[in-house]
Amino acid sequence: MAVGTQVRTYRDNGAEMEPLSSEDLVVRQQPIDEEQWLTGEDNTSDVGKRTIPLERFQTLERVIRDSPITVDPYLELARIYLHQNRYNDAKRILDLATEKFPEEEQANFLREEAQINRGLQLLEESQKEHDAEPTKLTLEALERSKVEVNVLREKICRARLVRHPEKLELNLPLASALENLGNPADAIQCLQHAIRRPQLRAKASLQLAQLLERAKRVPEALSAYRKAALYNVPPPPEDVKYTAIFSAANLAEQYGLVDSAIRYLELLSEMQPNNQELAKRLEALRKAEL
């Protein structure tokens, strides 16, 4: 997997687990900057198809052994290794970089990317092994990999929040990791931090509602779904609004709250007036109410 181009999604106790993906709103980028490719040549071609000359690796490794006075050689070599999915090699180089240049944010950031991608790599391997041979041992290995990824995810999010306390969006993936690790109370607290920022509050409220629903806290979950869908300034993204109302309708119907379910389905019908499935479902609920 080229870093940053694909989101691996796993299921863990009913919760989505997407470690440090762009969907998590974590600062993330391609490890290799196409604008500054090694020689500056052929910037229009596919980076993934380029071959790095062996001499270039040897030159960079030699420069690093000679203890350069800038962080640039470390970053260049690390980006190459990251792009090639050689996460252990990338981490080895970035360990040296962060030891010599501890205040360099790019070195710290890429080191964390190497760690999380290696964790994802191991998780994917564990998943494949369990799919191919579903035994108690492979299941235990898979569960262990999930825990390790979430522990790492929590550690990285907290570290980035220490370095960048203004990045409240990091509370969203942190909350997801904490919930998957069995700490829903701490996860709720993280989401409440994120809700303070207007640009985040719809998505944070939706994530909070989903967490509360999994915890069987139905009234609180419905309230959070309503907030996610009905914020005025700024209004929620259309997909967040639809997901929140749809989820609230399902939850209300599941618990026999027919009036509430009808109201949510009416809101959905306003958003999608030509959706025949919604129309049939709404009609059936109205008949059931009578």
Side-chain angles (χ1 to χ4, degrees):
M1 182 189 78
V3 179
T5 61
Q6 179 180 351
V7 177
R8 293 191 182 98
T9 303
Y10 299 89
R11 304 296 300 183
D12 188 15
N13 297 325
E16 286 192 358
M17 187 168 70
E18 300 173 352
L20 297 185
S21 72
S22 58
E23 292 302 309
D24 284 321
L25 299 178
V26 175
V27 177
R28 194 169 177 79
Q29 64 188 48
Q30 282 280 57
I32 293 180
D33 183 350
E34 292 189 39
E35 299 289 323
Q36 300 175 2
W37 183 250
L38 299 180
T39 62
E41 299 175 356
D42 192 24
N43 282 337
T44 60
S45 65
D46 184 359
V47 172
K49 296 179 181 177
R50 295 173 180 164
T51 301
I52 312 300
L54 176 61
E55 292 80 4
R56 187 60 181 173
F57 283 102
Q58 293 172 333
T59 297
L60 288 169
E61 291 277 9
R62 184 171 60 252
V63 168
I64 288 170
R65 281 197 302 272
D66 291 341
S67 192
I69 60 173
T70 72
V71 75
D72 294 342
Y74 297 98
L75 297 181
E76 182 177 331
L77 185 55
R79 288 189 178 103
I80 295 170
Y81 283 140
L82 281 168
H83 190 74
Q84 295 181 342
N85 299 346
R86 294 171 60 179
Y87 303 123
N88 284 337
D89 286 324
K91 183 177 179 298
R92 170 178 59 84
I93 296 302
L94 292 162
D95 283 344
L96 297 173
T98 53
E99 181 179 349
K100 187 173 177 63
F101 304 98
E103 301 304 318
E104 283 287 345
E105 173 58 20
Q106 192 62 234
N108 283 295
F109 172 81
L110 290 179
R111 182 174 180 272
E112 292 164 346
E113 293 291 285
Q115 289 177 288
I116 197 65
N117 275 282
R118 179 55 178 162
L120 285 169
Q121 198 174 54
L122 293 173
L123 177 54
E124 186 173 57
E125 291 171 6
S126 296
Q127 184 70 63
K128 288 179 178 178
E129 289 174 4
H130 180 62
D131 291 344
E133 189 177 356
T135 67
K136 181 180 178 180
L137 287 177
T138 58
L139 179 60
E140 288 175 350
L142 176 59
E143 294 302 318
R144 186 163 55 250
S145 293
K146 288 179 179 179
V147 170
E148 288 170 354
V149 165
N150 277 297
V151 167
L152 184 56
R153 195 179 180 198
E154 178 190 359
K155 178 183 176 182
I156 289 174
C157 287
R158 290 194 185 282
R160 289 182 177 180
L161 277 167
V162 168
R163 300 199 305 269
H164 304 287
E166 75 283 1
K167 293 189 178 298
L168 295 183
E169 62 268 28
L170 287 164
N171 283 285
L172 276 67
L174 176 56
S176 180
L178 288 167
E179 183 188 2
N180 286 327
L181 290 170
N183 299 318
D186 290 343
I188 289 171
Q189 189 174 31
C190 288
L191 292 170
Q192 288 171 340
H193 283 309
I195 288 171
R196 296 174 185 172
R197 179 164 293 170
Q199 290 78 9
L200 296 175
R201 62 187 182 186
K203 186 165 185 177
S205 292
L206 175 58
Q207 186 173 335
L208 175 61
Q210 292 166 335
L211 187 161
L212 292 168
E213 180 178 350
R214 287 188 289 269
K216 308 297 183 185
R217 295 164 61 173
V218 176
E220 294 170 271
L222 287 172
S223 175
Y225 279 131
R226 283 195 299 272
K227 289 178 180 178
L230 301 177
Y231 282 120
N232 290 322
V233 183
E238 198 74 3
D239 61 330
V240 170
K241 181 176 181 179
Y242 187 88
T243 300
I245 298 174
F246 186 80
S247 299
N250 288 344
L251 185 59
E253 186 175 359
Q254 179 185 346
Y255 283 87
L257 305 173
V258 178
D259 288 344
S260 295
I262 289 173
R263 285 198 297 273
Y264 293 128
L265 289 173
E266 286 173 342
L267 289 172
L268 288 178
S269 295
E270 291 174 8
M271 296 178 69
Q272 295 189 356
N274 297 321
N275 189 321
Q276 293 303 310
E277 289 187 11
L278 280 177
K280 290 178 182 178
R281 185 178 170 189
L282 183 54
E283 182 181 0
L285 272 180
R286 284 171 175 162
K287 288 180 179 178
E289 185 183 31
L290 297 175

